[in-house]
Amino acid sequence: MARPKTGGSSRQIIEVASRLFAERGPNGVSIEDIAEQVGISRSSIFWHFGSKAGLLEAVMRDIGDRAYAMVVAPGEHLSGFAALQAVISQRARSLTDEPALVRLVEVLMGESLTLEPQLAPLFAGWEAGFRTQIEAWLVEARAAGELQAGIDPA
């Protein structure tokens, strides 16, 4: 049965893929499943992302962007303890306010260990970047007198 072609923007594809990946895991979702839900052809997804792996990477980038946007408002700059407090608060809020996002991250993290190993380096990059950022905030907190001088931020 032919499906209507809606044009399917990258944003729509990522949203549908994210929902389906959270529900069934990436291995339980085909490009055809996503295309059908968006109302586009499979080739449109490949045109936007190149491959299923490319789509998974785009979903991962979107997760990072969404998480960052929950912490920092546009045009806002946080540093030191204010940044650390915002991140901790965001993590706690996301458990209740964004359960689908939390589930998606958990599913992708779990599958990165076995079924989707191409995701493992992306998670490792996230962790390394997050650690680097936390260390920078701790250094800023120490410089602002918010952290005792004897505490090593590393």
Side-chain angles (χ1 to χ4, degrees), residues 27 56 108 110-123:
N27 265 0
L56 278 166
L108 293 178
E111 292 207 2
S112 75
L113 299 173
T114 56
L115 302 173
E116 299 290 342
Q118 78 271 14
L119 295 178
L122 296 172
F123 278 108

Side-chain angles (χ1 to χ4, degrees), residues 1 7 17 32 42 73 80 85 99-100 103 116 122 124 128 131 142 144 150 153:
M1 161 160 75
E32 181 67 28
R42 293 180 61 205
Q85 288 171 326
R103 175 157 171 71
E116 299 290 342
L122 296 172
R131 283 181 185 209
R142 184 169 44 199

Side-chain angles (χ1 to χ4, degrees), residues 6-30:
T6 62
S9 69
S10 294
R11 178 83 243 138
Q12 290 172 304
I13 295 167
I14 289 170
E15 287 173 2
V16 168
S18 294
R19 181 176 49 78
L20 293 175
F21 291 159
E23 291 170 3
R24 300 187 249 166
N27 265 0
V29 178
S30 69

Side-chain angles (χ1 to χ4, degrees), residues 3 7-10 13-14 17 21 29-36 38 40-56 58:
R3 51 185 147 350
S9 69
S10 294
I13 295 167
I14 289 170
F21 291 159
V29 178
S30 69
I31 291 295
E32 181 67 28
D33 294 335
I34 298 165
E36 190 172 295
V38 177
I40 58 174
S41 67
R42 293 180 61 205
S43 62
S44 293
I45 294 176
F46 292 118
W47 184 83
H48 282 281
F49 302 101
S51 64
K52 186 174 181 182
L55 176 56
L56 278 166

Side-chain angles (χ1 to χ4, degrees), residues 22 63 66 70 90-109:
I63 292 168
R66 288 170 59 190
M70 289 177 186
Q90 179 273 326
R91 298 286 182 190
R93 275 192 322 272
S94 69
L95 293 173
T96 55
D97 297 349
E98 294 280 344
L101 180 63
V102 172
R103 175 157 171 71
L104 176 60
V105 171
E106 289 174 352
V107 167
L108 293 178
M109 283 180 105

